[in-house]
Amino acid sequence: MQMTTEEAFVKTLQRHGIKHAFGIIGSAMMPISDLFPKAGITFWDCAHEGSAGMMADGYTRATGRMSMMIAQNGPGITNFVTAVKTAYWNHTPLLLVTPQAANKTIGQGGFQEVEQMKLFEDMVAYQEEVRDPSRMAEVLARVISKAKQLSAPAQINIPRDYWTQVIDVDLPTALEFERSPGGENSVAQAAQMLSTAKNPVILNGAGVVLSEGGIAASRALAERLDAPVCVGYQHNDAFPGSHPLFAGPLGYNGSKAGMELIRDADVVLCLGTRLNPFSTLPGYGIDYWPKDAQIIQVDINPDRIGRTKTVSVGIVGDAGKVARGILAQLSETAGDEGREARRAKIAETKSKWAQQLSSMDHEEDDPGTTWNERARAAKPDWMSPRMAWRAIQSALPREAIISSDIGNNCAIGNAYPSFEAGRKYLAPGLFGPCGYGLPSIMGAKIGCPDVPVVGFAGDGAFGIAVNELTAIGRPEWPAITQIVFRNYQWGAEKRNSTLWFDDNFVGTELDTQVSFARMAEACGLKGVVARTMEELTDALNQAIIDQMQNNTTTLIEAMLNQELGDPFRRDAMKTPVQIAGIDPADMVE
């Protein structure tokens, strides 16, 4: 069939069901964006490409459907870097379209020229450049298939002078790959280990959420064994929160109940997780990772198995299919030894932690430091971060999708939210970019317009994405709710400063004259300031009503004292030692 290269490109998108593109308009992409409306593709023109990429990440993570990120070649594309790497570590299949400077001028240092393939080579799972206009559809279809197969972003690079070419082309059929149920021997070995375990524990990661039926499969296996189920850091939606076997998230500011239960395990089934450091580092002073347990690790990517922890059995496969395979091969007596005692211990441990969590109002100071004590004294009537999170839990709809930014106040909330279904908890993941909360929840709302959504961010991180307030008030954008924790500081770095740098607060203080609520109002949105727990609960209740019934976006500015939670990485910091010393007199004028 004869068609233009842009027609071939858009028709291939249609064949793969890609209906949403995120970015900023540019001349290098206008031949295809011109066809988007006729094709049923919506282009979401954002305020910054970095936020556009995080919207794409949020859309795909919430829906399971691929989306596309695209912008002007050069500076538009370089602005995608942080978002693409974030999606890579979030295992999000995205299509990254990078229009390139024209072939006839590339290499001459022309306008908006940069090596776009080199730029993303360690940030995508696959990348390919179109070498001839006639191969436009072929390359695009392969890149999309690779993104789905590898569950990560994949890049197609297109010289901009390849548009508006007339080509003869047979459009390729969308190619889908069936995921593996795991190796026959390794699955059987895992089933044998779990059949004889006295204290089995299951640890669910993102792979359980991404797998079709993964949560249900892990639930059936847990119930067969009466094994507690922990989840990895920022994967609170990987198991039903109301289930009696749910033990909560491990890692930074996670669940003490989960930590205490996995500490006593003799076999741990790690389903769909690469066992990243934040999911296994000590928390609350508990070094909980079991030293003598047999570890079974299941991951779709063989390169991630055994990389962070020594494993007894490694299984390359889809988390849900592997879980079903293990369940089918368990012995008749699997889980029987100590079953009643295990049930009782799970219930008792969970109850004890729930009571402790509900009574935690303030953050502790490390020996020799007094910052949190001083912060409470300075603002005795202000909410602490934990008070704010309890107020939020009172109003947050059970079916809501939430996003959490990086930062101290968001991290303090890691132990609080739980969910009954997957694809409900969006977090920046192990790349840890600031500015994720607002754009990712916008993407989720675009994909799930009938579900209430709430974004969370500290005021430092929110400042990176605040320009999106100028984009999302237009009529075609759906309404969302955003909560900003306002304590006028970069909290995580400030906690580091109190612990290791004698309260030498360099670059940690934010402008106290700034009001994000008033910024929202200036952008045509609704801005609310909440100073007490009651005000915050009421504001969130009303914001959800306004979002779902009145199509109104609300930004709630929650005013907090300056208490600081645990540092992110105690293992990565130490007190510096001065040897030569620094003298201001040495500065040359």
Side-chain angles (χ1 to χ4, degrees):
M1 183 184 299
Q2 195 172 70
M3 63 185 71
T4 65
T5 45
E6 56 268 29
E7 288 172 333
F9 189 96
V10 171
K11 285 178 179 291
T12 303
L13 292 179
Q14 289 177 308
R15 286 197 170 198
H16 288 83
I18 296 178
K19 300 178 180 179
H20 294 276
F22 298 85
I24 294 180
I25 196 69
S27 61
M29 54 173 279
M30 290 184 78
I32 58 168
S33 63
D34 177 59
L35 301 178
F36 284 173
K38 288 182 181 179
I41 298 170
T42 302
F43 180 68
W44 299 94
D45 47 331
C46 308
H48 190 279
E49 292 90 351
S51 292
M54 292 177 187
M55 286 186 195
D57 183 71
Y59 169 87
T60 296
R61 290 179 69 185
T63 64
R65 299 188 294 271
M66 273 188 67
S67 57
M68 179 173 85
M69 31 201 314
I70 185 169
Q72 177 67 5
N73 63 269
I77 296 303
T78 61
N79 281 345
F80 276 141
V81 166
T82 297
V84 172
K85 190 66 173 182
T86 300
Y88 180 84
W89 285 118
N90 283 337
H91 321 291
T92 307
L94 293 176
L95 173 61
L96 172 62
V97 181
T98 56
Q100 177 66 279
N103 269 337
K104 65 174 63 178
T105 61
I106 198 165
Q108 295 178 346
F111 184 59
Q112 296 181 324
E113 180 182 324
V114 68
E115 289 282 359
Q116 294 176 172
M117 294 287 279
K118 289 182 180 179
L119 185 67
F120 290 100
E121 64 184 1
D122 72 337
M123 300 184 188
V124 296
Y126 181 79
Q127 59 180 180
E128 189 170 348
E129 183 169 281
V130 178
R131 298 294 187 181
D132 185 87
S134 65
R135 300 183 62 190
M136 184 71 73
E138 169 218 331
V139 174
L140 177 58
R142 183 162 48 252
V143 169
I144 294 171
S145 292
K146 286 289 188 180
K148 291 181 178 180
Q149 177 192 5
L150 301 171
S151 196
Q155 176 191 8
I156 180 171
N157 201 60
I158 307 166
R160 60 180 296 168
D161 50 351
Y162 281 1
W163 299 128
T164 64
Q165 305 290 315
V166 178
I167 57 174
D168 287 309
V169 62
D170 291 326
L171 293 177
T173 302
L175 185 61
E176 300 285 346
F177 294 93
E178 184 178 5
R179 291 189 170 181
S180 168
E184 181 179 345
N185 292 334
S186 56
V187 170
Q189 190 177 357
Q192 191 276 329
M193 283 183 178
L194 287 166
S195 293
T196 58
K198 298 178 180 179
N199 288 302
V201 173
I202 297 173
L203 171 56
N204 283 358
V208 176
V209 177
L210 297 174
S211 168
E212 186 174 348
I215 294 175
S218 72
R219 175 176 177 166
L221 186 56
E223 290 173 346
R224 175 72 174 79
L225 296 169
D226 270 311
V229 180
C230 306
V231 294
Y233 176 69
Q234 296 183 338
H235 297 306
N236 299 35
D237 57 347
F239 200 77
S242 62
H243 197 284
L245 294 174
F246 180 58
L250 298 181
Y252 181 56
N253 276 317
S255 163
K256 273 190 182 180
M259 296 174 190
E260 291 174 2
L261 290 168
I262 200 171
R263 180 177 57 188
D264 297 331
D266 58 349
V267 178
V268 181
L269 173 62
C270 306
L271 270 178
T273 171
R274 60 189 180 88
L275 295 176
N276 68 70
F278 264 39
S279 291
T280 57
L281 282 175
Y284 307 108
I286 306 171
D287 188 6
Y288 55 83
W289 190 254
K291 301 295 187 293
D292 300 319
Q294 293 178 305
I295 307 298
I296 304 163
Q297 185 179 2
V298 181
D299 199 289
I300 200 74
N301 186 342
D303 293 339
R304 294 175 183 152
I305 294 178
R307 177 162 289 193
T308 61
K309 297 293 181 184
T310 300
V311 302
S312 304
V313 178
I315 304 176
V316 181
D318 174 84
K321 290 184 176 182
V322 171
R324 288 189 286 271
I326 292 174
L327 178 62
Q329 296 191 50
L330 290 177
S331 70
E332 292 184 2
T333 59
D336 287 351
E337 185 170 354
R339 187 183 294 273
E340 294 304 319
R342 196 161 57 249
R343 284 178 180 167
K345 182 178 180 180
I346 294 169
E348 180 185 356
T349 306
K350 286 183 61 176
S351 176
K352 181 181 176 182
W353 168 238
Q355 293 177 39
Q356 185 177 354
L357 184 63
S358 65
S359 66
M360 292 170 69
D361 284 336
H362 298 290
E363 302 306 307
E364 299 292 332
D365 281 309
D366 277 49
T369 68
T370 61
W371 175 260
N372 287 327
E373 178 184 345
R374 285 177 280 154
R376 288 190 289 273
K379 291 183 170 65
D381 299 326
W382 288 46
M383 284 185 289
S384 71
R386 291 192 182 274
M387 291 176 180
W389 275 107
R390 292 217 308 275
I392 288 163
Q393 290 300 111
S394 298
L396 192 65
R398 194 67 181 161
E399 73 276 17
I401 300 172
I402 73 169
S403 70
S404 177
D405 221 307
I406 201 74
N408 199 258
N409 285 325
C410 286
I412 287 171
N414 281 342
Y416 291 87
S418 64
F419 308 88
E420 296 308 304
R423 298 191 180 278
K424 293 288 188 179
Y425 187 31
L426 310 178
L430 267 291
F431 195 54
C434 291
Y436 182 85
L438 174 62
S440 63
I441 210 64
M442 283 303 313
K445 186 66 176 184
I446 288 168
C448 305
D450 298 326
V451 179
V453 304
V454 183
F456 298 95
D459 44 10
F462 185 75
I464 291 177
V466 69
N467 53 353
E468 293 307 318
L469 296 179
T470 66
I472 65 176
R474 289 169 287 179
E476 65 270 23
W477 289 74
I480 59 106
T481 301
Q482 175 70 37
I483 293 178
V484 180
F485 298 115
R486 195 71 168 113
N487 62 0
Y488 306 107
Q489 61 189 358
W490 286 100
E493 286 63 39
K494 197 163 186 177
R495 184 64 189 250
N496 292 340
S497 299
T498 66
L499 290 174
W500 293 288
F501 301 100
D502 297 323
D503 285 1
N504 185 24
F505 300 132
V506 178
T508 61
E509 308 309 296
L510 300 177
D511 191 345
T512 59
Q513 300 179 83
V514 172
S515 168
F516 289 124
R518 291 181 65 186
M519 283 187 187
E521 292 174 350
C523 294
L525 310 173
K526 184 176 179 180
V528 179
V529 176
R531 292 184 169 83
T532 66
M533 292 177 67
E534 292 76 15
E535 288 179 359
L536 182 51
T537 298
D538 291 345
L540 181 53
N541 276 322
Q542 185 60 50
I544 297 297
I545 293 172
D546 286 341
Q547 178 190 149
M548 302 305 296
Q549 299 180 16
N550 305 322
N551 196 36
T552 298
T553 288
T554 304
L555 184 148
I556 302 171
E557 201 167 12
M559 312 305 289
L560 306 185
N561 67 21
Q562 292 194 318
E563 287 184 57
L564 299 169
D566 270 357
F568 277 88
R569 296 293 302 273
R570 287 184 184 273
D571 63 315
M573 302 288 290
K574 63 181 181 180
T575 303
V577 177
Q578 290 195 17
I579 303 298
I582 301 297
D583 189 338
D586 292 339
M587 177 64 70
V588 176
E589 292 297 334

